[in-house]
Amino acid sequence: MRLSTLILPVRRWSEGGREVWQRAEELGFHAAYTYDHLSWRTFRDRTWFGAVPTLTAAAGVTSRMRLGTLVTSPNFRHPVTLAKELISLDDISDGRITLGVGAGGNGFDATALGQEPWAPRERADHFGEFVALLDRLLSEDVVSHEGVHYSAHEVRNIPGCVQRPRLPFAVAATGPRGLNLAARYGQAWVTTGDPKVSNGGGTPAESHEAIRGQFERLGKACADQGREVADLQKIMLTGFTPDRPLDSVDAFVDFAGHHAELGIDELVLHWPIADSLFEADVAVFERIATEGLAQLAAR
């Protein structure tokens, strides 16, 4: 089990932004991720910075911890320009970048560029072409592509990623088309649990069972792609299930144990933010970061 954190881009770099990324590395987190949104839910009218510049700055003040997005989506990104930024970011970080990527949803990002929100089938169509083209752009020196949604004309991406053949993809998916993308292109798969359980007032046990079902569907998708499901890392972004792992170290250890049994091998905890969905006791959070996995191993 690995333990990582997610730092929302809500702090000015000169007013605590730098320190929180440095503190994440000091606490020993495997990775620190950030959201790649233009704005998000209750933070729409609050401070919110861009993911790529934030990760670039974080790369400059850390040296060991992996960095990445959870997640980037096609809602306002184009594979050609994104690939250039990712190759640059991978170079600046000396090969520490993971691209978390998902289909996106109907939030603010979906209409910020003046378009109508995509229907679920349209989102899946964009997502499939987006990931496939990114895969080529990040692993080939010259790429041309004429697709339904995206085109690339003799695009050069030299020298390519530090990580070879390209930086890893962590594909967030629960539906059949997304799981097939994870099985085909992903080095990791990401889940946040089942929103039907969480939004419907479900219990932790019901959430665990829903995630078990996601694992079964992921296994089938891998089999369809001729791939072993064990080849993928399984990442869970916490904070969206009925569980409360940040209430105490014991609560975290119980939570981590249940999800390790399901097959999760990396848990991502949101860095606490006051007056938000992610409010938590910072002292308890830091104890979880430094003691939680050791207590889990000792069970």
Side-chain angles (χ1 to χ4, degrees):
M1 176 71 76
R2 294 169 171 169
L3 189 59
S4 299
T5 189
L6 192 142
I7 301 170
L8 293 186
V10 297
R11 300 168 179 85
R12 288 188 179 275
W13 198 247
S14 61
E15 299 174 4
R18 173 198 300 264
E19 288 76 14
V20 72
W21 289 87
Q22 291 174 319
R23 183 59 177 157
E25 184 164 78
E26 290 170 359
L27 290 170
F29 283 112
H30 166 69
Y33 303 96
T34 196
Y35 286 5
D36 187 18
H37 290 297
L38 298 174
S39 59
W40 188 76
R41 296 189 187 181
T42 58
F43 292 89
R44 187 177 189 183
D45 294 317
R46 297 170 64 173
T47 300
W48 190 275
F49 293 104
V52 173
T54 296
L55 291 170
T56 303
V61 298
T62 60
S63 60
R64 303 180 305 277
M65 181 173 65
R66 291 195 64 81
L67 306 167
T69 58
L70 278 186
V71 293
T72 293
S73 83
N75 268 350
F76 65 96
R77 294 289 190 185
H78 191 287
V80 169
T81 51
L82 178 60
K84 184 65 73 174
E85 292 183 345
L86 290 170
I87 287 171
S88 304
L89 185 53
D90 200 46
D91 179 71
I92 291 166
S93 68
D94 195 22
R96 290 186 286 136
I97 299 300
T98 295
L99 176 70
V101 61
N106 286 331
F108 308 126
D109 295 345
T111 57
L113 300 184
Q115 76 273 34
E116 292 296 317
W118 297 325
R121 181 181 293 276
E122 289 178 295
R123 284 203 306 273
D125 290 344
H126 279 80
F127 188 33
E129 192 175 334
F130 185 85
V131 172
L133 182 52
L134 264 181
D135 174 65
R136 292 189 59 202
L137 289 163
L138 293 171
S139 55
E140 300 176 20
D141 288 346
V142 183
V143 174
S144 290
H145 170 80
E146 294 296 331
V148 176
H149 303 291
Y150 304 104
S151 297
H153 178 65
E154 295 186 3
V155 174
R156 266 69 170 171
N157 279 319
I158 300 169
C161 297
V162 173
Q163 301 173 88
R164 294 294 182 173
R166 59 157 168 76
L167 55 79
F169 289 180
V171 181
T174 55
R177 293 178 67 182
L179 289 171
N180 283 333
L181 285 175
R184 182 173 180 182
Y185 295 104
Q187 284 65 56
W189 165 71
V190 183
T191 182
T192 58
D194 187 337
K196 293 179 182 178
V197 173
S198 302
N199 297 338
T203 65
E206 290 171 332
S207 174
H208 304 165
E209 192 58 32
I211 294 170
R212 192 186 309 279
Q214 292 176 355
F215 267 89
E216 291 173 356
R217 294 191 292 276
L218 177 65
K220 181 181 183 303
C222 286
D224 290 344
Q225 292 292 332
R227 186 175 182 187
E228 294 292 331
V229 69
D231 290 345
L232 274 75
Q233 296 291 307
K234 289 85 175 177
I235 301 172
M236 181 172 187
L237 176 59
T238 67
F240 302 101
T241 68
D243 313 90
R244 297 183 60 84
L246 297 185
D247 280 359
S248 66
V249 176
D250 287 343
F252 167 79
V253 172
D254 286 343
F255 173 86
H258 286 305
H259 289 82
E261 290 171 0
L262 291 171
I264 298 294
D265 45 35
E266 181 179 344
L267 290 172
V268 184
L269 308 176
H270 285 83
W271 196 277
I273 300 176
D275 301 319
S276 79
L277 171 66
F278 306 117
E279 186 165 13
D281 188 310
V282 175
V284 172
F285 177 83
E286 294 202 352
R287 281 193 61 207
I288 288 170
T290 55
E291 304 171 22
L293 292 187
Q295 291 195 26
L296 177 64
R299 285 179 54 161

Short mmCIF file of all heavy atoms in Angstrom, two decimals, residues 131-187:
data_model
loop_
_atom_site.label_atom_id
_atom_site.label_comp_id
_atom_site.label_asym_id
_atom_site.label_seq_id
_atom_site.Cartn_x
_atom_site.Cartn_y
_atom_site.Cartn_z
N VAL A 131 -7.31 10.01 -25.25
CA VAL A 131 -6.29 9.15 -24.64
C VAL A 131 -5.42 8.50 -25.70
O VAL A 131 -4.19 8.44 -25.58
CB VAL A 131 -6.94 8.10 -23.72
CG1 VAL A 131 -5.91 7.08 -23.24
CG2 VAL A 131 -7.60 8.77 -22.53
N ALA A 132 -6.05 8.01 -26.76
CA ALA A 132 -5.29 7.33 -27.82
C ALA A 132 -4.30 8.29 -28.49
O ALA A 132 -3.15 7.92 -28.78
CB ALA A 132 -6.24 6.74 -28.85
N LEU A 133 -4.74 9.53 -28.74
CA LEU A 133 -3.84 10.48 -29.38
C LEU A 133 -2.75 10.94 -28.42
O LEU A 133 -1.58 11.08 -28.83
CB LEU A 133 -4.65 11.68 -29.90
CG LEU A 133 -3.85 12.77 -30.65
CD1 LEU A 133 -2.99 12.17 -31.76
CD2 LEU A 133 -4.79 13.83 -31.20
N LEU A 134 -3.08 11.14 -27.16
CA LEU A 134 -2.05 11.49 -26.18
C LEU A 134 -0.98 10.41 -26.09
O LEU A 134 0.22 10.71 -25.98
CB LEU A 134 -2.68 11.69 -24.80
CG LEU A 134 -3.04 13.09 -24.36
CD1 LEU A 134 -3.63 13.05 -22.96
CD2 LEU A 134 -1.84 14.04 -24.40
N ASP A 135 -1.41 9.17 -26.12
CA ASP A 135 -0.46 8.06 -26.08
C ASP A 135 0.56 8.18 -27.20
O ASP A 135 1.77 8.02 -26.98
CB ASP A 135 -1.23 6.74 -26.19
CG ASP A 135 -0.32 5.54 -26.30
OD1 ASP A 135 0.43 5.26 -25.33
OD2 ASP A 135 -0.34 4.88 -27.36
N ARG A 136 0.11 8.49 -28.40
CA ARG A 136 1.03 8.63 -29.53
C ARG A 136 1.89 9.88 -29.39
O ARG A 136 3.11 9.84 -29.63
CB ARG A 136 0.23 8.68 -30.83
CG ARG A 136 -0.47 7.39 -31.22
CD ARG A 136 -1.04 7.51 -32.63
NE ARG A 136 0.04 7.78 -33.60
CZ ARG A 136 -0.17 8.34 -34.80
NH1 ARG A 136 -1.40 8.68 -35.17
NH2 ARG A 136 0.84 8.55 -35.61
N LEU A 137 1.28 10.99 -29.02
CA LEU A 137 2.01 12.25 -28.94
C LEU A 137 3.13 12.19 -27.91
O LEU A 137 4.17 12.84 -28.07
CB LEU A 137 1.05 13.40 -28.59
CG LEU A 137 0.08 13.82 -29.70
CD1 LEU A 137 -1.06 14.64 -29.12
CD2 LEU A 137 0.82 14.62 -30.77
N LEU A 138 2.93 11.43 -26.86
CA LEU A 138 3.93 11.35 -25.79
C LEU A 138 4.98 10.27 -26.02
O LEU A 138 5.95 10.19 -25.26
CB LEU A 138 3.23 11.10 -24.45
CG LEU A 138 2.36 12.26 -23.94
CD1 LEU A 138 1.55 11.83 -22.74
CD2 LEU A 138 3.21 13.49 -23.61
N SER A 139 4.79 9.45 -27.03
CA SER A 139 5.74 8.35 -27.25
C SER A 139 6.35 8.32 -28.65
O SER A 139 7.24 7.52 -28.91
CB SER A 139 5.07 7.01 -26.96
OG SER A 139 3.89 6.84 -27.72
N GLU A 140 5.87 9.20 -29.55
CA GLU A 140 6.42 9.25 -30.91
C GLU A 140 6.95 10.65 -31.18
O GLU A 140 6.39 11.65 -30.72
CB GLU A 140 5.33 8.91 -31.95
CG GLU A 140 4.73 7.52 -31.77
CD GLU A 140 3.59 7.26 -32.74
OE1 GLU A 140 3.51 7.97 -33.78
OE2 GLU A 140 2.76 6.37 -32.46
N ASP A 141 8.02 10.74 -31.95
CA ASP A 141 8.63 12.04 -32.24
C ASP A 141 7.77 12.91 -33.15
O ASP A 141 7.71 14.13 -32.99
CB ASP A 141 10.01 11.86 -32.90
CG ASP A 141 11.06 11.36 -31.93
OD1 ASP A 141 10.82 11.42 -30.70
OD2 ASP A 141 12.13 10.91 -32.40
N VAL A 142 7.12 12.29 -34.13
CA VAL A 142 6.30 13.03 -35.09
C VAL A 142 4.95 12.32 -35.22
O VAL A 142 4.90 11.11 -35.45
CB VAL A 142 6.98 13.10 -36.48
CG1 VAL A 142 6.14 13.95 -37.44
CG2 VAL A 142 8.39 13.67 -36.37
N VAL A 143 3.88 13.10 -35.10
CA VAL A 143 2.54 12.50 -35.13
C VAL A 143 1.61 13.31 -36.03
O VAL A 143 1.54 14.55 -35.92
CB VAL A 143 1.93 12.43 -33.71
CG1 VAL A 143 0.47 11.95 -33.77
CG2 VAL A 143 2.75 11.53 -32.81
N SER A 144 0.90 12.61 -36.91
CA SER A 144 -0.22 13.18 -37.66
C SER A 144 -1.45 12.33 -37.39
O SER A 144 -1.35 11.10 -37.32
CB SER A 144 0.09 13.22 -39.16
OG SER A 144 1.09 14.17 -39.45
N HIS A 145 -2.58 12.99 -37.26
CA HIS A 145 -3.82 12.27 -36.93
C HIS A 145 -5.00 13.10 -37.40
O HIS A 145 -5.06 14.31 -37.15
CB HIS A 145 -3.90 12.04 -35.42
CG HIS A 145 -5.23 11.52 -34.95
ND1 HIS A 145 -5.58 10.19 -35.04
CD2 HIS A 145 -6.28 12.16 -34.38
CE1 HIS A 145 -6.79 10.02 -34.54
NE2 HIS A 145 -7.25 11.20 -34.13
N GLU A 146 -5.93 12.47 -38.09
CA GLU A 146 -7.18 13.12 -38.48
C GLU A 146 -8.31 12.33 -37.84
O GLU A 146 -8.68 11.26 -38.32
CB GLU A 146 -7.33 13.16 -40.01
CG GLU A 146 -6.30 14.04 -40.71
CD GLU A 146 -6.43 15.50 -40.33
OE1 GLU A 146 -7.56 15.95 -40.00
OE2 GLU A 146 -5.40 16.21 -40.37
N GLY A 147 -8.83 12.83 -36.74
CA GLY A 147 -9.87 12.12 -36.04
C GLY A 147 -11.21 12.82 -36.13
O GLY A 147 -11.37 13.85 -36.79
N VAL A 148 -12.18 12.27 -35.44
CA VAL A 148 -13.51 12.88 -35.41
C VAL A 148 -13.50 14.15 -34.58
O VAL A 148 -14.12 15.16 -34.92
CB VAL A 148 -14.54 11.87 -34.84
CG1 VAL A 148 -15.91 12.52 -34.70
CG2 VAL A 148 -14.61 10.63 -35.72
N HIS A 149 -12.76 14.13 -33.46
CA HIS A 149 -12.76 15.25 -32.52
C HIS A 149 -11.43 15.98 -32.44
O HIS A 149 -11.41 17.16 -32.04
CB HIS A 149 -13.14 14.74 -31.12
CG HIS A 149 -14.45 14.04 -31.07
ND1 HIS A 149 -15.65 14.68 -31.25
CD2 HIS A 149 -14.75 12.72 -30.88
CE1 HIS A 149 -16.64 13.80 -31.16
NE2 HIS A 149 -16.12 12.61 -30.94
N TYR A 150 -10.33 15.32 -32.77
CA TYR A 150 -9.01 15.92 -32.61
C TYR A 150 -8.15 15.63 -33.84
O TYR A 150 -8.23 14.54 -34.42
CB TYR A 150 -8.30 15.37 -31.37
CG TYR A 150 -9.08 15.55 -30.10
CD1 TYR A 150 -9.75 14.46 -29.51
CD2 TYR A 150 -9.19 16.80 -29.50
CE1 TYR A 150 -10.48 14.63 -28.36
CE2 TYR A 150 -9.93 16.97 -28.34
CZ TYR A 150 -10.57 15.88 -27.77
OH TYR A 150 -11.31 16.05 -26.64
N SER A 151 -7.34 16.62 -34.20
CA SER A 151 -6.41 16.44 -35.31
C SER A 151 -5.03 16.89 -34.89
O SER A 151 -4.86 17.73 -33.99
CB SER A 151 -6.86 17.24 -36.53
OG SER A 151 -8.11 16.78 -37.01
N ALA A 152 -4.03 16.32 -35.54
CA ALA A 152 -2.63 16.71 -35.31
C ALA A 152 -1.92 16.60 -36.65
O ALA A 152 -2.03 15.58 -37.33
CB ALA A 152 -1.97 15.78 -34.29
N HIS A 153 -1.21 17.66 -37.03
CA HIS A 153 -0.54 17.67 -38.33
C HIS A 153 0.96 17.79 -38.13
O HIS A 153 1.47 18.84 -37.74
CB HIS A 153 -1.06 18.82 -39.19
CG HIS A 153 -0.38 18.92 -40.53
ND1 HIS A 153 -0.50 17.94 -41.51
CD2 HIS A 153 0.42 19.87 -41.05
CE1 HIS A 153 0.20 18.28 -42.57
NE2 HIS A 153 0.78 19.45 -42.31
N GLU A 154 1.66 16.71 -38.37
CA GLU A 154 3.12 16.67 -38.27
C GLU A 154 3.61 17.34 -36.99
O GLU A 154 4.51 18.19 -37.00
CB GLU A 154 3.76 17.30 -39.50
CG GLU A 154 3.48 16.52 -40.78
CD GLU A 154 4.24 17.07 -41.98
OE1 GLU A 154 5.03 18.03 -41.80
OE2 GLU A 154 4.04 16.53 -43.08
N VAL A 155 3.02 16.95 -35.88
CA VAL A 155 3.38 17.53 -34.58
C VAL A 155 4.68 16.91 -34.09
O VAL A 155 4.82 15.69 -34.02
CB VAL A 155 2.26 17.29 -33.54
CG1 VAL A 155 2.69 17.75 -32.16
CG2 VAL A 155 1.00 18.03 -33.98
N ARG A 156 5.65 17.76 -33.74
CA ARG A 156 6.93 17.30 -33.21
C ARG A 156 6.92 17.39 -31.68
O ARG A 156 6.53 18.42 -31.12
CB ARG A 156 8.07 18.19 -33.72
CG ARG A 156 8.77 17.67 -34.97
CD ARG A 156 7.91 17.71 -36.20
NE ARG A 156 8.71 17.43 -37.40
CZ ARG A 156 8.20 17.24 -38.59
NH1 ARG A 156 6.87 17.30 -38.76
NH2 ARG A 156 8.98 16.98 -39.63
N ASN A 157 7.34 16.32 -31.05
CA ASN A 157 7.47 16.30 -29.59
C ASN A 157 8.82 15.74 -29.20
O ASN A 157 8.94 14.71 -28.55
CB ASN A 157 6.33 15.49 -28.95
CG ASN A 157 5.06 16.32 -28.83
OD1 ASN A 157 5.11 17.50 -28.48
ND2 ASN A 157 3.93 15.73 -29.12
N ILE A 158 9.85 16.42 -29.64
CA ILE A 158 11.23 16.04 -29.37
C ILE A 158 11.72 16.88 -28.19
O ILE A 158 11.48 18.09 -28.16
CB ILE A 158 12.11 16.30 -30.62
CG1 ILE A 158 11.57 15.47 -31.79
CG2 ILE A 158 13.57 15.97 -30.36
CD1 ILE A 158 12.17 15.83 -33.14
N PRO A 159 12.32 16.30 -27.16
CA PRO A 159 12.92 14.96 -27.11
C PRO A 159 12.01 13.88 -26.54
O PRO A 159 12.47 12.77 -26.28
CB PRO A 159 14.11 15.19 -26.17
CG PRO A 159 13.58 16.19 -25.18
CD PRO A 159 12.71 17.11 -25.97
N GLY A 160 10.75 14.16 -26.30
CA GLY A 160 9.87 13.18 -25.67
C GLY A 160 10.01 13.20 -24.16
O GLY A 160 10.68 14.05 -23.58
N CYS A 161 9.36 12.26 -23.52
CA CYS A 161 9.35 12.20 -22.05
C CYS A 161 10.67 11.67 -21.51
O CYS A 161 11.35 10.87 -22.16
CB CYS A 161 8.22 11.28 -21.58
SG CYS A 161 6.55 11.87 -22.00
N VAL A 162 11.00 12.10 -20.30
CA VAL A 162 12.12 11.48 -19.57
C VAL A 162 11.79 10.02 -19.30
O VAL A 162 12.63 9.13 -19.45
CB VAL A 162 12.38 12.25 -18.26
CG1 VAL A 162 13.41 11.52 -17.41
CG2 VAL A 162 12.83 13.67 -18.55
N GLN A 163 10.55 9.77 -18.86
CA GLN A 163 10.09 8.40 -18.62
C GLN A 163 9.77 7.75 -19.96
O GLN A 163 9.09 8.34 -20.78
CB GLN A 163 8.86 8.41 -17.71
CG GLN A 163 9.11 9.08 -16.37
CD GLN A 163 7.84 9.25 -15.56
OE1 GLN A 163 7.45 8.36 -14.81
NE2 GLN A 163 7.20 10.40 -15.70
N ARG A 164 10.25 6.56 -20.17
CA ARG A 164 10.09 5.88 -21.45
C ARG A 164 9.22 4.65 -21.33
O ARG A 164 9.29 3.94 -20.33
CB ARG A 164 11.46 5.49 -22.00
CG ARG A 164 12.35 6.68 -22.38
CD ARG A 164 11.78 7.44 -23.55
NE ARG A 164 12.65 8.56 -23.96
CZ ARG A 164 12.43 9.30 -25.04
NH1 ARG A 164 11.38 9.05 -25.82
NH2 ARG A 164 13.24 10.29 -25.34
N PRO A 165 8.38 4.37 -22.33
CA PRO A 165 8.26 5.11 -23.60
C PRO A 165 7.51 6.44 -23.47
O PRO A 165 7.54 7.25 -24.37
CB PRO A 165 7.50 4.14 -24.49
CG PRO A 165 6.67 3.34 -23.54
CD PRO A 165 7.53 3.17 -22.32
N ARG A 166 6.82 6.64 -22.34
CA ARG A 166 6.16 7.90 -22.04
C ARG A 166 5.85 7.90 -20.55
O ARG A 166 5.97 6.88 -19.87
CB ARG A 166 4.88 8.07 -22.85
CG ARG A 166 3.84 6.98 -22.64
CD ARG A 166 2.45 7.45 -22.99
NE ARG A 166 1.48 6.38 -23.07
CZ ARG A 166 0.92 5.76 -22.04
NH1 ARG A 166 1.27 6.08 -20.80
NH2 ARG A 166 0.03 4.79 -22.22
N LEU A 167 5.42 9.06 -20.04
CA LEU A 167 5.01 9.13 -18.65
C LEU A 167 3.76 8.26 -18.43
O LEU A 167 2.98 8.04 -19.37
CB LEU A 167 4.77 10.58 -18.23
CG LEU A 167 3.80 11.46 -19.02
CD1 LEU A 167 2.35 11.19 -18.69
CD2 LEU A 167 4.13 12.92 -18.81
N PRO A 168 3.56 7.74 -17.24
CA PRO A 168 2.45 6.81 -17.00
C PRO A 168 1.09 7.51 -16.98
O PRO A 168 0.96 8.64 -16.53
CB PRO A 168 2.77 6.20 -15.64
CG PRO A 168 3.69 7.17 -14.98
CD PRO A 168 4.45 7.84 -16.07
N PHE A 169 0.08 6.77 -17.47
CA PHE A 169 -1.32 7.20 -17.41
C PHE A 169 -2.01 6.48 -16.26
O PHE A 169 -1.90 5.26 -16.11
CB PHE A 169 -2.07 6.83 -18.69
CG PHE A 169 -1.69 7.61 -19.92
CD1 PHE A 169 -2.32 7.34 -21.13
CD2 PHE A 169 -0.74 8.61 -19.88
CE1 PHE A 169 -1.99 8.06 -22.29
CE2 PHE A 169 -0.40 9.33 -21.03
CZ PHE A 169 -1.03 9.05 -22.23
N ALA A 170 -2.74 7.26 -15.45
CA ALA A 170 -3.64 6.69 -14.44
C ALA A 170 -5.05 7.04 -14.89
O ALA A 170 -5.47 8.20 -14.81
CB ALA A 170 -3.34 7.26 -13.06
N VAL A 171 -5.77 6.04 -15.40
CA VAL A 171 -7.05 6.28 -16.06
C VAL A 171 -8.20 6.09 -15.08
O VAL A 171 -8.40 5.00 -14.53
CB VAL A 171 -7.24 5.34 -17.27
CG1 VAL A 171 -8.56 5.62 -17.97
CG2 VAL A 171 -6.07 5.50 -18.25
N ALA A 172 -8.94 7.17 -14.85
CA ALA A 172 -10.11 7.12 -13.97
C ALA A 172 -11.31 6.63 -14.78
O ALA A 172 -11.67 7.25 -15.79
CB ALA A 172 -10.39 8.49 -13.38
N ALA A 173 -11.92 5.55 -14.34
CA ALA A 173 -13.03 4.98 -15.13
C ALA A 173 -13.80 3.99 -14.29
O ALA A 173 -13.23 3.29 -13.44
CB ALA A 173 -12.47 4.28 -16.37
N THR A 174 -15.12 3.92 -14.56
CA THR A 174 -15.95 2.87 -13.98
C THR A 174 -16.85 2.22 -15.03
O THR A 174 -17.32 1.10 -14.83
CB THR A 174 -16.85 3.43 -12.85
OG1 THR A 174 -17.62 4.53 -13.36
CG2 THR A 174 -16.01 3.90 -11.68
N GLY A 175 -17.12 2.91 -16.13
CA GLY A 175 -17.95 2.34 -17.20
C GLY A 175 -17.15 1.46 -18.13
O GLY A 175 -15.91 1.48 -18.11
N PRO A 176 -17.81 0.68 -18.96
CA PRO A 176 -17.11 -0.30 -19.80
C PRO A 176 -16.12 0.32 -20.78
O PRO A 176 -15.02 -0.20 -20.97
CB PRO A 176 -18.25 -1.04 -20.53
CG PRO A 176 -19.46 -0.17 -20.38
CD PRO A 176 -19.28 0.56 -19.09
N ARG A 177 -16.47 1.44 -21.41
CA ARG A 177 -15.55 2.04 -22.37
C ARG A 177 -14.32 2.63 -21.68
O ARG A 177 -13.19 2.49 -22.16
CB ARG A 177 -16.28 3.11 -23.20
CG ARG A 177 -17.36 2.52 -24.12
CD ARG A 177 -18.09 3.59 -24.88
NE ARG A 177 -17.23 4.27 -25.85
CZ ARG A 177 -17.64 5.29 -26.61
NH1 ARG A 177 -18.88 5.75 -26.50
NH2 ARG A 177 -16.82 5.85 -27.46
N GLY A 178 -14.54 3.28 -20.55
CA GLY A 178 -13.41 3.82 -19.80
C GLY A 178 -12.51 2.73 -19.25
O GLY A 178 -11.28 2.86 -19.27
N LEU A 179 -13.09 1.66 -18.75
CA LEU A 179 -12.28 0.56 -18.24
C LEU A 179 -11.46 -0.09 -19.34
O LEU A 179 -10.32 -0.52 -19.12
CB LEU A 179 -13.19 -0.48 -17.56
CG LEU A 179 -13.81 -0.03 -16.23
CD1 LEU A 179 -14.86 -1.03 -15.76
CD2 LEU A 179 -12.73 0.16 -15.16
N ASN A 180 -12.03 -0.15 -20.54
CA ASN A 180 -11.26 -0.68 -21.67
C ASN A 180 -10.07 0.22 -21.99
O ASN A 180 -8.99 -0.27 -22.34
CB ASN A 180 -12.15 -0.84 -22.90
CG ASN A 180 -13.05 -2.06 -22.82
OD1 ASN A 180 -12.70 -3.04 -22.15
ND2 ASN A 180 -14.19 -2.02 -23.48
N LEU A 181 -10.26 1.54 -21.86
CA LEU A 181 -9.13 2.46 -22.06
C LEU A 181 -8.07 2.25 -21.00
O LEU A 181 -6.86 2.26 -21.29
CB LEU A 181 -9.62 3.91 -22.02
CG LEU A 181 -10.38 4.44 -23.23
CD1 LEU A 181 -10.88 5.85 -22.95
CD2 LEU A 181 -9.50 4.44 -24.47
N ALA A 182 -8.50 2.08 -19.74
CA ALA A 182 -7.54 1.83 -18.66
C ALA A 182 -6.76 0.56 -18.94
O ALA A 182 -5.53 0.51 -18.74
CB ALA A 182 -8.27 1.73 -17.33
N ALA A 183 -7.46 -0.48 -19.39
CA ALA A 183 -6.80 -1.76 -19.66
C ALA A 183 -5.84 -1.66 -20.84
O ALA A 183 -4.79 -2.32 -20.85
CB ALA A 183 -7.85 -2.83 -19.93
N ARG A 184 -6.16 -0.83 -21.81
CA ARG A 184 -5.33 -0.73 -23.01
C ARG A 184 -4.14 0.22 -22.84
O ARG A 184 -3.02 -0.08 -23.25
CB ARG A 184 -6.17 -0.29 -24.20
CG ARG A 184 -5.37 -0.21 -25.51
CD ARG A 184 -6.27 0.05 -26.70
NE ARG A 184 -5.49 0.11 -27.94
CZ ARG A 184 -6.01 0.38 -29.12
NH1 ARG A 184 -7.33 0.58 -29.25
NH2 ARG A 184 -5.24 0.42 -30.20
N TYR A 185 -4.41 1.38 -22.20
CA TYR A 185 -3.38 2.43 -22.17
C TYR A 185 -2.83 2.72 -20.78
O TYR A 185 -1.81 3.39 -20.66
CB TYR A 185 -3.95 3.74 -22.73
CG TYR A 185 -4.33 3.67 -24.18
CD1 TYR A 185 -5.66 3.57 -24.58
CD2 TYR A 185 -3.36 3.73 -25.18
CE1 TYR A 185 -6.02 3.52 -25.93
CE2 TYR A 185 -3.70 3.69 -26.52
CZ TYR A 185 -5.03 3.58 -26.89
OH TYR A 185 -5.38 3.53 -28.22
N GLY A 186 -3.50 2.28 -19.74
CA GLY A 186 -3.14 2.71 -18.41
C GLY A 186 -2.00 1.93 -17.78
O GLY A 186 -1.86 0.74 -18.00
N GLN A 187 -1.22 2.65 -16.99
CA GLN A 187 -0.29 2.01 -16.07
C GLN A 187 -0.94 1.92 -14.69
O GLN A 187 -0.44 1.21 -13.82
CB GLN A 187 1.03 2.80 -15.99
CG GLN A 187 1.94 2.61 -17.19
CD GLN A 187 1.34 3.15 -18.48
OE1 GLN A 187 0.97 4.32 -18.56
NE2 GLN A 187 1.21 2.30 -19.49
#
